[in-house]
């Protein structure tokens, strides 16, 4: 939220900005009443140990909260709600007694309370919030007088302040940077006071700021082009320079630009406009001004420059350095660890060094998100003809050139600031562009498309929001949506604390969203508080987990959230809108959504079109080969037939680069390549039917792989099995293991297979590792897959994975499941474990794709299902998904048990008249008992989870079944039976109490 005018300039600064601090004491109250004050906010992370209550004397006032309705009364008590919670990371080694003991410890903390414990969180975290000042003098005077009347500023008594931040200006980038800097200090527990003293309209406010400057341990002064004309900035430089605690941050400047002689003599492009006798504005003598400016060059230990491309690094360096100087070494260490983690895991893919075109689209994205276009992007963006409006003035397209030139001179050409002008948002309508001041209530802006010189009206308008931090990119699969967003994220990542990438598949989007917890340093787990509270329902628990992530994204710290390839507007599990996951629009956090859908959430998308002919040709001729005209014509035919999709053009470029083949020969090869038999029914089949030439191109790549590595090469099989994995990066060893498990068509005699196995037994490990690397390298070189920033991971395009599934290779799904079960780690392959469960249990209306033997099913339940369900429930509060997994697992075990007790008819029984017809349970009693006990364990786990969601009746029915099974097999005195009876007693007591 931007820094606003006058008394609300830095209003509503949070009293406690840490994540787990509840209401502040009566000595604290909303800084909405103190427009330039930001109290200390000790950091309190859920993931760390419980910290002692923050000292309430960081900043105190003697006055009681005013009773004016314009003020926001502070809560009554100061409560530190921090707690310690360690994630339950169930080991894939099995669901042993340790896993159940963790679940028991959580279940034992259940208590029934007649009153609900309410943990109050401070709602005033948008540091520079406040009502926007109206432009009329009447409105301004009324608001100022009411603020002064409601707040007795003279009664405030400032005690301590770690950092004072002074700035001058109202440009959105400067305010965004100041917001971020202030929030970053406060979230690390460093008290911060921010002020633009030039906007103080009261001597009392000036007195408060001067007290803050006097008690501050360090003084940060943000230096801009206009700072040297501001007497207050010069005074701050003199004051903190004299105390030897000045920390200058050069905003779009460098220390070399701040030389007194260059400023006065208008030397250099920068000072030709902003220089001259600027010291006259100081109000003092020139010598004092010279000494203050010259003092900047003597601050050698601080060289903080906030250029357009290093905001993040500048802020992190400032916070780390000042935290170290203030003795907060733990803050510096935590920031260093966090920075190392971000550098490794921020982006899902490496930057595409061969990115081509899309200049206009990149500029449009910047304009939609920020409401402004800066730097080199100005040349690439369309020129809108408009002027600032008065009231509801609208300007049509066909206006004079003087108006156009005047607008460009004010906003794009000269780069001068717009004094006394409100930020604007753009509205495109049928024949006009309207510029509307943001001081008026927000209205939805309808856009019309121009087609053939006429504007076609839509029956239902779509909303396009500029400068609100939300953008949607739509287009066909493979057209380059992800590449566009990835390039934008790499170009602008320094404007955000971090780029958060979320996969948009409807089955995995909620899990991917909650995975952000490690970067946001919040705990979304079930037991996120050590306090006993009333038992919440499952839906309420899931909403609370989502709310914790959303709350972090709605602070003044900017993040870029990318939801890539959004499949549906609704979540697959509970059919709730994806909008519920997103932070509110207009905040510091920005959201970009890519999707194949024509429209989502009633937003007007940025429709991604094909590359131009020149750009497409440049992409295919990446190697720089020169071809005759006939070959160029063949390339144009390939471009047309491949649908102009950038993914297909990239494969063509790789083939031409890696192989000595001409475009005409490649075209002939693709045309002669037969397609494999597959099912063309359904929506997915129709999508592939429209891209048959691309499918033939992929088959050409398979032929190349088979020629290089022999029939049924590992690279080909890795592609074919990839379609059954989750839509995320896949570890190469896991993918290769699944590929090797695909049964071969001609396996030869059993003796020959044994001999081959004996020959390779001595060098299997090294040979497999080498072949894995070679196969993955082959896939990357031909652009069939792309490398992930995670070492040893690769990812496939959705079209290729869809084709792999539709191609229907026998045993591919079975091979994927077996590989994931045997080598899947929950901490590393959470999504792929869920993908295997989707194939095994048939969630929703999906059929069961893979069936396992009883022994394999038991192994799956112990090593995968139980740990996965407990981990999902406790660590991520995904109650619905965990319970549904256990329910389907119970059904599968019951079906297997039913098959065991069904009589079997064997030819041996007919010849032995004295033998009765037997069942599988009688033939294999040990396996049957193990199956029954496994079912009892699943039932007991479900009952304990039902206990956590106040589903006592259902839990009692489940645990009674478990007690019956264990009593029948193990006996009354067995420890497992006793444990189950204790759970039953607990549920019985709770039912009686409720």
């Amino acid at each position: 939220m931007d820094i606003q005018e006058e008394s609300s300039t830095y209003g509503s600064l949070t009293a406690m900005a840490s994540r787990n601090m509840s209401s502040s004491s009566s000595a604290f109250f909303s800084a909405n009443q103190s427009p330039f004050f930001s109290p200390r906010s000790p950091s309190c992370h859920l993931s760390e140990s419980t910290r002692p209550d923050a000292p309430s004397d960081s900043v105190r006032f003697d006055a009681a909260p005013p009773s004016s309705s314009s003020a926001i009364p502070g809560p009554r008590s100061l409560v530190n709600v921090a707690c310690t919670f360690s994630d339950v990371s169930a080991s894939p080694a099995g669901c042993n007694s340790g896993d159940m003991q963790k679940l028991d410890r959580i279940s034992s903390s259940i208590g029934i309370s007649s009153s609900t414990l309410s943990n109050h969180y401070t709602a005033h975290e948008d540091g520079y919030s406040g009502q926007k000042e109206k432009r009329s003098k009447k409105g301004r005077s009324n608001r100022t007088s009411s603020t002064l009347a409601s707040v007795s500023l003279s009664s405030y008594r400032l005690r301590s302040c770690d950092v004072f931040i002074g700035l001058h200006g109202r440009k959105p980038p400067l305010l965004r940077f100041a917001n971020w800097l202030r929030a970053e200090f406060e979230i690390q527990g460093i008290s911060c006071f921010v002020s633009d003293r030039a906007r103080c309209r009261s001597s009392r406010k000036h007195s408060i700021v001067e007290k803050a400057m006097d008690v501050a341990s360090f003084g940060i002064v943000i230096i801009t082009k206009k700072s040297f004309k501001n007497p207050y900035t010069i005074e701050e430089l003199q004051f903190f320079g004299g105390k030897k605690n000045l920390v200058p941050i050069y905003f779009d400047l460098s220390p070399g630009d701040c030389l007194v002689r260059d400023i006065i003599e208008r030397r250099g492009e920068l000072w030709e406009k902003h220089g001259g006798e600027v010291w006259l504005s100081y109000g003092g003598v020139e010598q004092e001004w010279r000494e203050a400016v010259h003092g900047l060059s003597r601050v050698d230990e601080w060289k903080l420059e906030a250029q357009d491309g290093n905001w993040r690094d500048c802020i992190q360096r400032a916070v780390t350095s000042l935290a170290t100087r203030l003795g907060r070494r733990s803050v510096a260490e935590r920031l260093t660890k966090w920075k190392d983690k971000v550098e490794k895991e921020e982006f899902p893919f490496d930057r595409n060094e061969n990115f081509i075109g899309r200049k206009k689209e990149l500029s449009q994205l910047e304009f939609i998100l920020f409401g402004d276009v800066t730097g080199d992007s100005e040349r690439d963006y369309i020129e809108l003809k408009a002027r600032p409006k008065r009231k509801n003035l609208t300007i049509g397209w066909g206006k004079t050139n003087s108006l156009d030139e005047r607008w460009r001179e004010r906003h794009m050409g000269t780069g001068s600031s717009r004094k006394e002008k409100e930020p604007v948002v753009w509205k495109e309508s049928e024949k006009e562009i309207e510029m509307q001041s943001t001081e008026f209530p927000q209205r939805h802006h309808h856009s019309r498309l121009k087609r053939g010189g006429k504007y076609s009206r839509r029956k239902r308008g779509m909303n396009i929001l500029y400068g609100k931090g939300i953008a949607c990119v739509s287009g066909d699969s493979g057209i380059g949506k992800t590449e566009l967003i990835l390039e934008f994220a790499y170009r602008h990542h320094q404007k955000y604390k971090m780029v958060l990438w979320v996969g948009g598949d409807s089955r995995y989007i909620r899990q991917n969203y909650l995975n952000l917890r490690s970067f946001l340093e919040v705990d979304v787990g079930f037991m996120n508080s050590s306090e006993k509270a009333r038992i919440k329902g499952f839906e309420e628990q899931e909403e609370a987990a989502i709310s914790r992530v959303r709350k972090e994204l709605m602070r003044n710290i900017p993040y870029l959230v990318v939801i890539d390839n959004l499949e549906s507007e609704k979540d697959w599990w509970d059919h709730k809108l994806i909008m519920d996951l997103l932070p509110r629009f207009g905040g510091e956090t920005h959201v970009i959504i890519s999707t194949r859908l024509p429209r989502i959430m009633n937003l007007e998308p940025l429709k991604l079109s094909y590359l131009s002919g020149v750009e497409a040709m440049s992409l295919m001729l990446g190697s720089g080969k020169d071809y005759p005209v006939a070959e160029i014509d063949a390339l144009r035919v390939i471009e047309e037939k491949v649908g102009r999709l950038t993914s297909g053009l990239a494969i063509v470029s790789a083939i031409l680069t890696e192989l000595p083949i001409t475009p005409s020969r490649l075209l002939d090869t693709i045309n002669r390549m037969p397609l494999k038999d597959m099912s063309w029914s359904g929506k997915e089949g129709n999508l592939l039917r429209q891209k048959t030439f691309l499918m033939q191109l992929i088959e050409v790549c398979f032929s190349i792989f088979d020629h290089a590595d022999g029939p049924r090469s590992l690279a080909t099989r890795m592609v074919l099995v990839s379609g059954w994995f989750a839509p995320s990066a896949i570890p190469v060893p896991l993918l290769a293991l699944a590929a090797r498990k695909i049964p071969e068509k001609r396996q030869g005699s059993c003796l020959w297979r044994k001999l081959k196995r004996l020959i390779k037994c001595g060098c299997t490990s090294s040979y497999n590792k080498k072949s894995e690397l070679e196969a993955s390298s082959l896939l990357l070189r031909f652009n069939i897959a792309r490398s992930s920033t995670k070492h040893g991971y690769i990812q496939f395009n959705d079209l290729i994975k869809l084709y792999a599934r539709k191609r229907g290779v026998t045993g591919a799904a079975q091979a994927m499941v077996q590989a994931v079960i045997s080598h899947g780690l929950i901490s590393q392959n959470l999504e792929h474990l869920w993908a295997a469960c989707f194939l095994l249990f048939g969630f929703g209306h999906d059929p069961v794709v893979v069936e396992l033997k009883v022994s394999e099913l038991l192994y799956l339940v112990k090593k995968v299902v139980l740990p996965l369900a407990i981990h999902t429930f406790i660590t991520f509060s995904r109650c619905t998904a965990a319970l549904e997994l256990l329910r389907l697992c119970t059904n599968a075990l019951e079906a297997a048990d039913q098959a065991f007790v069904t009589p079997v008819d064997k030819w041996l029984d007919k010849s032995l008249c004295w033998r009765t017809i037997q069942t599988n349970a009688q033939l294999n009693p040990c396996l049957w008992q193990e199956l029954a006990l496994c079912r009892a364990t699943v039932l007991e786990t479900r009952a304990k989870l039902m206990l956590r969601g106040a589903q006592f009746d259902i839990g009692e029915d489940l645990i009674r079944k478990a007690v019956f099974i264990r009593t029948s097999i193990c006996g009354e005195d067995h420890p497992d039976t006793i444990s189950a009876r204790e759970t039953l007693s607990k549920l019985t007591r709770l039912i009686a109490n409720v």
Side-chain angles (χ1 to χ4, degrees):
M1 185 171 293
D2 295 340
I3 306 175
Q4 307 299 340
E5 296 183 8
E6 294 204 8
S7 64
S8 63
T9 304
Y10 299 103
S12 186
L13 295 181
T14 175
M16 302 296 282
S18 67
R19 294 180 173 87
N20 298 300
M21 300 302 295
S22 60
S23 308
S24 58
S25 66
S26 59
F28 289 78
F29 56 95
S30 173
N32 212 9
Q33 305 140 20
S34 175
F36 305 101
F37 171 67
S38 175
R40 176 181 302 232
S41 55
S43 176
C44 187
H45 300 282
L46 282 167
S47 60
E48 300 177 354
S49 301
T50 304
R51 300 181 181 181
D53 290 341
S56 60
D57 62 347
S58 59
V59 177
R60 286 184 182 274
F61 301 109
D62 294 333
S67 59
S68 172
S69 60
S70 63
I72 302 177
R76 296 181 179 179
S77 61
L78 177 63
V79 183
N80 189 351
V81 199
C83 70
T84 305
F85 178 78
S86 58
D87 294 344
V88 179
S89 56
S91 172
C95 188
N96 50 27
S97 59
D99 295 328
M100 300 306 297
Q101 288 173 1
K102 293 177 183 179
L103 189 60
D104 289 339
R105 286 199 299 269
I106 294 177
S107 301
S108 62
S109 65
I110 276 294
I112 299 297
S113 176
S114 59
S115 61
T116 303
L117 177 67
S118 299
N119 293 331
H120 296 279
Y121 294 91
T122 54
H124 317 298
E125 293 165 348
D126 299 327
Y128 307 131
S129 62
Q131 298 291 330
K132 290 183 179 291
E133 181 187 13
K134 295 185 178 180
R135 301 187 61 83
S136 63
K137 294 182 179 179
K138 180 179 179 180
R140 177 182 300 167
S141 61
N142 288 342
R143 189 177 59 82
T144 304
S145 62
S146 64
T147 304
L148 295 178
S150 63
V151 184
S152 178
L153 297 179
S154 61
S155 61
Y156 294 165
R157 183 159 57 90
L158 200 62
R159 288 198 173 184
S160 67
C161 177
D162 292 327
V163 178
F164 175 90
I165 300 178
L167 73 158
H168 175 61
R170 297 186 58 212
K171 287 190 174 182
L174 175 62
L175 305 187
R176 182 178 176 87
F177 179 83
N179 275 324
W180 184 2
L181 179 64
R182 193 266 323 164
E184 195 66 55
F185 273 119
E186 289 191 340
I187 209 169
Q188 300 300 337
I190 300 175
S191 60
C192 191
F193 192 108
V194 186
S195 174
D196 182 359
R197 300 171 64 205
R199 305 198 63 79
C200 291
R201 300 291 188 258
S202 167
S203 60
R204 296 177 179 179
K205 298 176 185 178
H206 281 290
S207 177
I208 294 175
V209 178
E210 290 171 0
K211 291 179 181 179
M213 293 173 58
D214 187 57
V215 301
S217 301
F218 289 93
I220 294 179
V221 181
I222 302 178
I223 307 297
T224 62
K225 301 171 185 176
K226 294 188 177 182
S227 295
F228 301 119
K229 296 181 181 180
N230 181 27
Y232 298 102
T233 301
I234 301 301
E235 183 180 351
E236 291 164 5
L237 293 177
Q238 288 178 320
F239 181 79
F240 293 114
K243 294 178 64 177
K244 306 298 183 183
N245 61 352
L246 173 65
V247 181
I249 295 182
Y250 300 91
F251 191 80
D252 288 339
L253 289 174
S254 64
D257 295 327
C258 301
L259 301 179
V260 175
R261 190 183 67 177
D262 292 346
I263 297 174
I264 294 178
E265 298 179 0
R266 298 183 182 272
R267 296 296 181 90
E269 296 181 1
L270 181 64
W271 301 116
E272 287 179 359
K273 176 183 177 183
H274 300 280
E277 296 180 349
V278 296
W279 63 273
L280 293 176
S281 302
Y282 169 53
V285 296
E286 180 181 0
Q287 186 60 31
E288 294 179 355
W289 181 87
R290 286 175 175 269
E291 291 178 357
V293 178
H294 184 64
L296 289 173
S297 61
R298 293 195 291 268
V299 184
D300 296 330
E301 53 185 340
W302 302 102
K303 298 293 183 182
L304 300 175
E305 300 181 37
Q307 303 294 341
D308 187 51
N310 72 333
W311 285 16
R312 182 198 298 180
D313 294 340
C314 178
I315 289 177
Q316 288 184 350
R317 183 184 171 192
V319 176
T320 302
S321 301
L322 286 180
T324 303
R325 296 294 182 90
L326 292 169
R328 318 282 179 85
R329 294 184 179 180
S330 60
V331 174
E333 293 174 357
R334 183 166 60 249
L335 287 176
T336 301
K337 293 179 180 178
W338 187 89
K339 184 179 180 180
D340 295 339
K341 177 181 177 65
V342 168
E343 288 178 353
K344 297 177 182 178
E345 304 179 25
E346 179 176 18
F347 292 97
F349 312 112
D350 295 325
R351 188 171 187 176
N352 184 3
E353 300 297 337
N354 299 320
F355 185 81
I356 295 176
R358 306 298 189 191
K359 292 183 178 180
K360 179 179 176 181
E361 288 83 355
L362 288 170
S363 299
Q364 285 177 322
L365 266 182
E366 182 180 354
F367 184 65
I368 293 173
L369 291 176
F370 294 97
D372 193 11
V373 181
T374 59
D376 296 336
S377 299
E378 291 185 12
R379 300 193 305 266
D380 304 326
Y381 194 66
I382 58 175
E383 295 180 354
L384 297 178
K385 301 178 182 180
R387 67 182 178 187
K389 59 174 263 182
R390 297 184 303 273
K391 302 279 184 173
N392 293 322
L393 178 65
T394 57
I395 299 105
W397 285 99
K399 296 298 178 182
T400 60
N401 292 332
S402 60
L403 177 61
D404 182 22
E405 294 172 358
R406 191 185 315 153
W407 185 87
R408 281 203 300 265
E409 179 182 358
R410 289 183 181 179
H411 302 278
M412 301 181 72
T414 61
S416 60
S417 63
R418 300 191 296 268
K419 291 186 177 181
E420 300 302 326
K421 287 191 176 68
E422 292 291 336
V424 295
V425 292
W426 291 95
K427 173 184 175 182
E428 298 185 27
S429 59
E430 288 184 356
K431 295 185 179 180
E432 59 195 10
I433 293 181
E434 183 181 84
M435 219 167 67
Q436 176 183 341
S437 173
T438 54
E439 67 176 338
F440 297 103
Q442 297 179 3
R443 294 184 297 182
H444 296 299
H445 302 289
H446 302 281
S447 63
R448 301 289 184 265
L449 296 182
K450 181 178 180 181
R451 298 178 181 174
K454 296 182 180 180
Y455 294 87
S456 61
R457 294 180 178 270
R458 296 183 181 180
K459 294 182 180 180
R460 184 178 181 183
M462 300 181 188
N463 302 332
I464 183 166
L465 302 175
Y466 292 110
K468 297 301 180 183
I470 176 72
C472 176
V473 180
S474 68
D476 296 337
S477 180
I479 202 170
K481 301 183 296 296
T482 301
E483 290 291 341
L484 172 70
I485 297 176
L486 187 67
E487 179 65 19
F488 177 88
Y490 270 105
R491 290 190 182 187
H492 299 278
H493 72 281
Q494 282 288 331
K495 295 181 181 179
Y496 305 95
K497 182 174 182 179
M498 186 180 178
V499 178
L500 303 172
W501 206 277
V502 179
D505 190 279
S506 60
R507 297 193 183 202
Y508 303 93
I509 184 171
R510 180 164 297 191
Q511 179 66 59
N512 295 334
Y513 185 81
L514 293 174
N515 285 341
L516 302 180
R517 69 189 180 97
S518 60
F519 300 109
L520 301 176
E521 297 179 343
V522 296
D523 184 5
V524 299
F526 188 87
M527 294 294 292
N528 70 318
S529 175
S530 60
E531 301 288 342
K532 286 190 176 182
R534 68 174 179 86
I535 304 178
K536 300 178 181 179
F538 295 131
E539 183 177 358
E540 189 176 357
Q541 294 168 23
E542 294 189 7
E543 290 178 354
I546 294 294
S547 177
R548 293 180 203 122
V549 177
R550 291 183 71 249
K551 182 180 178 181
E552 290 304 311
L553 295 177
M554 293 192 317
R555 296 184 184 271
N556 275 336
I557 296 181
Y559 291 93
L560 177 61
V561 180
V562 177
I563 301 180
D564 190 26
N565 195 20
L566 182 63
E567 188 179 29
S568 173
E569 292 188 23
K570 296 182 179 181
D571 183 72
W572 185 85
W573 292 95
D574 54 13
H575 305 290
K576 290 186 177 180
L577 291 175
I578 301 301
M579 177 74 75
D580 297 339
L581 304 178
L582 304 180
R584 66 175 183 268
F585 299 159
E588 298 298 331
T589 294
H590 291 172
V591 179
I592 303 179
I593 302 173
S594 70
T595 181
R596 295 192 299 268
L597 301 175
R599 176 172 60 90
I600 58 169
M601 296 184 295
N602 207 33
L603 290 175
E604 176 72 14
L606 172 62
K607 296 186 181 299
L608 202 60
S609 183
Y610 309 108
L611 294 175
S612 66
V614 176
E615 293 169 344
M617 192 61 62
S618 176
L619 178 59
M620 288 188 291
L621 297 176
S623 59
K625 294 181 180 180
D626 293 330
Y627 291 109
V629 177
E631 300 298 335
I632 297 296
D633 292 339
L635 282 178
R636 297 194 185 279
V637 174
I638 293 177
E639 175 198 351
E640 188 70 26
K641 286 194 171 186
V642 86
R644 299 178 181 176
L645 300 178
T646 54
S647 57
L649 299 178
I651 296 176
V652 172
S653 174
I655 294 176
L656 295 177
T657 302
E658 296 290 336
L659 302 178
I661 187 174
T662 61
S664 58
R665 186 180 175 188
L666 176 60
L667 176 61
D668 183 63
T669 303
I670 298 174
N671 288 328
R672 290 188 291 105
M673 178 60 63
L675 277 177
K676 301 296 182 180
D677 294 334
M678 65 178 66
S679 174
W680 298 100
S681 60
K683 185 177 179 180
E684 295 179 344
N686 293 333
L687 178 63
L688 293 180
R689 191 190 301 273
Q690 300 171 3
K691 298 174 173 58
T692 55
F693 189 83
L694 181 60
M695 303 302 106
Q696 289 176 302
L697 178 61
I698 296 175
E699 288 292 340
V700 170
C701 293
F702 290 165
S703 300
I704 296 172
F705 300 157
D706 294 342
H707 179 78
D709 196 25
R712 304 278 293 174
S713 69
L714 181 60
T716 301
R717 285 180 287 166
M718 288 170 68
V719 178
L720 295 176
V721 80
S722 68
W724 301 102
F725 281 86
S728 59
I730 309 172
V732 173
L734 183 63
L735 182 63
L737 176 63
R740 292 192 182 95
K741 289 182 178 294
I742 297 179
E744 298 181 3
K745 292 182 179 179
R746 299 176 182 176
Q747 298 180 347
S749 63
C750 182
L751 178 61
W752 173 242
R753 290 200 308 272
K754 291 181 179 179
L755 289 175
K756 288 175 63 178
R757 209 175 292 120
L758 290 174
I759 293 173
K760 291 183 178 180
C761 65
C763 57
T764 298
S765 178
S766 59
Y767 172 79
N768 287 343
K769 187 174 182 180
K770 181 180 178 181
S771 61
E772 292 170 6
L773 295 177
E774 291 177 350
S776 61
S777 175
L778 202 60
L779 295 176
L780 295 175
R781 282 159 46 199
F782 280 85
N783 289 327
I784 296 296
R786 66 176 307 165
S787 61
S788 172
T789 51
K790 292 183 179 179
H791 180 68
Y793 285 70
I794 61 176
Q795 191 158 350
F796 295 85
N797 183 274
D798 291 339
L799 268 178
I800 294 178
K801 297 184 70 172
L802 175 59
Y803 177 68
R805 290 197 303 271
K806 285 293 182 179
R807 202 167 181 260
V809 178
T810 304
Q814 183 91 15
M816 176 268 178
V817 171
Q818 292 176 350
V820 170
I821 291 175
S822 58
H823 287 77
L825 301 176
I826 291 181
S827 59
Q828 300 177 2
N829 305 305
L830 184 63
E831 294 88 352
H832 301 305
L833 288 172
W834 272 106
C837 291
F838 285 134
L839 297 176
L840 287 167
F841 298 120
F843 285 69
H845 299 289
D846 296 343
V848 176
V849 179
V850 177
E851 295 184 359
L852 299 178
K853 299 178 181 178
V854 175
S855 58
E856 294 174 336
L857 179 61
L858 292 176
Y859 182 87
L860 170 75
V861 173
K862 294 178 181 179
K863 306 299 183 181
V864 176
V865 174
L866 285 174
L868 179 62
I870 295 174
H871 180 76
T872 302
F873 189 98
I874 297 177
T875 307
F876 297 100
S877 297
R878 293 190 62 213
C879 309
T880 303
L883 292 173
E884 181 66 10
L885 174 61
L886 292 178
R887 186 186 70 83
L888 295 176
C889 178
T890 304
N891 294 342
L893 291 173
E894 290 177 351
D897 183 78
Q898 187 65 29
F900 255 79
V901 299
T902 301
V904 295
D905 185 15
K906 295 187 177 181
W907 66 271
L908 182 62
D909 297 334
K910 297 178 181 179
S911 61
L912 301 177
C913 302
W914 61 89
R915 296 185 62 184
T916 60
I917 299 178
Q918 295 180 334
T919 64
N920 284 324
Q922 294 172 321
L923 293 174
N924 197 342
C926 294
L927 185 61
W928 177 75
Q929 289 185 3
E930 187 178 357
L931 176 63
L933 291 176
C934 182
R935 185 158 64 96
T937 302
V938 175
L939 290 171
E940 183 181 9
T941 304
R942 292 177 62 191
K944 291 181 178 180
L945 296 184
M946 291 296 176
L947 179 67
R948 298 301 304 165
Q951 302 289 336
F952 304 135
D953 294 338
I954 301 177
E956 184 185 24
D957 293 339
L958 295 173
I959 196 62
R960 287 187 184 278
K961 295 179 182 179
V963 169
F964 175 77
I965 295 173
R966 286 184 173 169
T967 303
S968 303
I969 297 178
C970 303
E972 294 280 351
D973 300 329
H974 194 274
D976 292 342
T977 306
I978 297 174
S979 174
R981 287 191 177 278
E982 291 177 355
T983 304
L984 176 60
S985 301
K986 185 184 301 182
L987 282 165
T988 304
R989 290 194 305 269
L990 289 173
I991 292 175
N993 293 334
V994 172

